Amino acid sequence: MNVDIRKTHNYYEVLDSESLCHCNYCKNYCSQIKSAYPAVASYLSSLGIDIEKPFELSPLEPDENDMLEYCSCQYIAFGRCAEDFRHIIGQVEVCVASNYPNPGIAEDFFVLEFFPIRLKVLYPL
Ligand SMILES: [Zn+2]
């Protein structure tokens, strides 16, 4: 991975929280992800990525225990990364996404993706 940490960090710093999605799936995620997955948060942080500002989340439906699984959590990073990049953090696998919405970025970037993430339902869905 050849991530431009400074550029990535700057992107997240100026990324307005108001421009993020505020649906309850995203609120559930953003309010808990850092405390529930501190090792993933600090790994992302070491790359300049703010875990509380996801690019795209793919939540499943909550189970009978009110746990919500996200089968994909995607983040923009600047620089380049091999398509077969893999990094394991506990039960969480980090890789490079191949499917994602067009972020409209002209510079070199890639989309990091990790899964699975399981969180409590705090905001009713
Ligand atoms: Zn949302």
Side-chain angles (χ1 to χ4, degrees):
M1 186 194 290
N2 193 357
V3 60
D4 186 330
I5 295 173
R6 183 178 298 186
K7 189 180 263 188
T8 302
H9 184 262
N10 189 52
Y11 170 82
Y12 283 92
E13 200 150 81
V14 301
L15 188 61
D16 189 355
S17 318
E18 288 304 306
S19 70
L20 300 171
C21 178
H22 288 94
C23 78
N24 279 1
Y25 288 102
C26 292
K27 276 162 73 176
N28 265 309
Y29 180 90
C30 291
S31 63
Q32 300 178 74
I33 184 66
K34 206 170 190 171
S35 54
Y37 290 87
V40 178
S42 72
Y43 174 70
L44 261 60
S45 174
S46 76
L47 303 175
I49 298 172
D50 183 342
I51 200 167
E52 292 177 335
K53 294 180 176 176
F55 172 55
E56 184 77 3
L57 299 174
S58 301
L60 304 176
E61 287 307 311
D63 67 14
E64 63 280 8
N65 300 315
D66 260 358
M67 291 296 289
L68 182 59
E69 180 170 327
Y70 298 78
C71 60
S72 166
C73 309
Q74 299 184 335
Y75 290 80
I76 302 284
F78 288 87
R80 288 175 177 278
C81 188
E83 280 171 29
D84 61 353
F85 173 82
R86 284 274 183 287
H87 183 74
I88 305 291
I89 306 167
Q91 311 274 46
V92 177
E93 177 174 346
V94 184
C95 64
V96 178
S98 49
N99 283 305
Y100 48 81
N102 183 356
I105 294 173
E107 297 142 284
D108 277 346
F109 77 96
F110 57 96
V111 175
L112 271 186
E113 172 177 74
F114 57 79
F115 51 83
I117 293 298
R118 282 171 58 80
L119 298 168
K120 289 185 224 98
V121 176
L122 296 184
Y123 298 90
L125 299 164

